């Protein structure tokens, strides 16, 4: 931006202009729309923004989270946390479930995976739960959730390698705030996208920017 252009304004309304410059504190908002192979908005994709400049978003990543097992589903389906976060799994169904934490690419039941069986909830008793500490960031550290009894149960916990990591909403949109101005790359993680795609390069300004990222797959929707 050319500061010289604003000199007349500075003289005219110094107060208003200084407010304007506070707004340009070197960060912007980025709205990322994730589409599947067929161009449909994709919920529960994890958008990771890696800015070249340093900064800190106002809202830090969650260091605790709860994933519920109810109606034979992990809810929420995808959880984004910071490195070292403690995630509690609670079985609210009346029947038993496993919490299986698989590593992407590893066969089910591989020895490096962790699992625990949570007994079904009985009337008048608290639901059984277990806490896992999530300490491996990035795609290789993502925990793919499953249950040995109910094969349709799936989900994921993504441990963010960047403080700008947000999952897409039901409209396939992730809103990232306080992204430092300048160059940034956008990566998208989705459980169904097995081959990592090249990051998208964007330039973040103080004005809200939009970007679209298309996956190579059409993930199955949750019923
Ligand atoms: Cu189960």
């Amino acid at each position: 931006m050319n500061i010289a252009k604003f000199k007349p304004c500075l003289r005219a309304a110094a107060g208003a202009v200084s407010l304007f410059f506070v707004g340009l504190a070197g960060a912007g908002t980025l709205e990322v729309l994730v589409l599947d192979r067929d161009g449909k908005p994709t919920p529960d994709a994890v958008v990771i923004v890696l800015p070249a400049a340093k900064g800190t978003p106002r809202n830090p990543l969650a260091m605790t989270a709860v994933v519920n097992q109810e109606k034979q589903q992990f809810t929420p389906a995808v959880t984004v946390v910071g490195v070292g976060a403690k995630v509690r799994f609670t079985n609210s169904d009346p029947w038993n479930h496993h919490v299986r934490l698989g590593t992407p690419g590893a066969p089910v039941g591989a020895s490096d995976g962790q699992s625990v069986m949570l007994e079904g909830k009985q009337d008048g008793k608290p639901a059984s739960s277990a806490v896992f500490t999530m300490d491996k960031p990035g795609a290789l550290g993502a925990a793919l959730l499953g249950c040995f009894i109910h094969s349709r149960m799936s989900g994921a916990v993504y441990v963010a390698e960047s403080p700008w990591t947000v999952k897409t909403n039901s409209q396939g949109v992730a809103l990232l705030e306080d992204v430092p101005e300048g160059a940034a790359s956008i990566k998208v993680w989705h459980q169904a996208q097995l081959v990592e795609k090249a990051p998208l390069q964007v330039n973040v300004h103080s004005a809200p920017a939009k970007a679209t990222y298309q996956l190579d797959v059409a993930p199955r929707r949750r019923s």
Side-chain angles (χ1 to χ4, degrees):
M1 135 176 293
N2 187 350
I3 302 288
K5 275 187 201 162
F6 287 87
K7 271 188 176 160
C9 302
L10 275 168
R11 279 189 212 109
V17 170
S18 67
L19 269 178
F20 179 65
F21 276 95
V22 168
L24 289 181
T29 300
L30 194 53
E31 188 184 302
V32 182
L33 168 66
V34 178
L35 302 175
D36 70 8
R37 184 191 57 203
D38 304 326
K40 293 204 186 97
T42 306
D44 286 329
V46 179
V47 175
I48 305 118
V49 175
L50 299 151
K54 285 198 167 67
T56 310
R58 241 166 303 174
N59 301 317
L61 292 163
M63 293 305 289
T64 59
V66 175
V67 178
N68 214 1
Q69 292 161 290
E70 56 182 350
K71 298 178 186 139
Q72 293 189 28
Q73 298 269 34
F74 288 101
T75 306
V78 174
T79 303
V80 174
V81 293
V83 181
K86 300 215 179 308
V87 179
R88 177 177 292 276
F89 293 87
T90 302
N91 183 3
S92 303
D93 276 337
W95 45 79
N96 296 352
H97 286 304
H98 295 95
V99 178
R100 190 186 73 223
L101 273 66
T103 314
V108 168
S111 56
D112 64 331
Q114 305 176 72
S115 74
V116 68
M117 206 273 289
L118 296 177
E119 284 187 8
K121 184 171 169 8
Q122 291 169 15
D123 282 344
K125 294 205 176 153
S128 51
S129 69
V131 175
F132 287 87
T133 302
M134 312 301 301
D135 49 14
K136 275 188 236 146
L140 292 173
L144 305 183
L145 307 176
C147 170
F148 292 113
I149 308 166
H150 308 103
S151 59
R152 68 187 282 260
M153 290 179 71
S154 71
V157 178
Y158 191 92
V159 185
E161 67 265 55
S162 163
W164 293 275
T165 305
V166 175
K167 71 172 179 178
T168 55
N169 61 18
S170 56
Q171 272 78 52
V173 172
L175 190 68
L176 297 114
E177 294 179 304
D178 312 317
V179 183
E181 275 185 48
S185 61
I186 301 173
K187 295 196 297 180
V188 174
W189 183 87
H190 191 287
Q191 194 165 352
Q193 174 78 42
L194 300 177
V195 179
E196 197 173 322
K197 293 191 65 167
L200 200 64
Q201 304 300 331
V202 293
N203 219 332
V204 179
H205 306 278
S206 55
K210 290 189 180 190
T212 302
Y213 192 105
Q214 189 158 19
L215 300 170
D216 297 331
V217 291
R220 197 162 49 100
R221 313 262 148 173
R222 251 191 191 192
S223 47

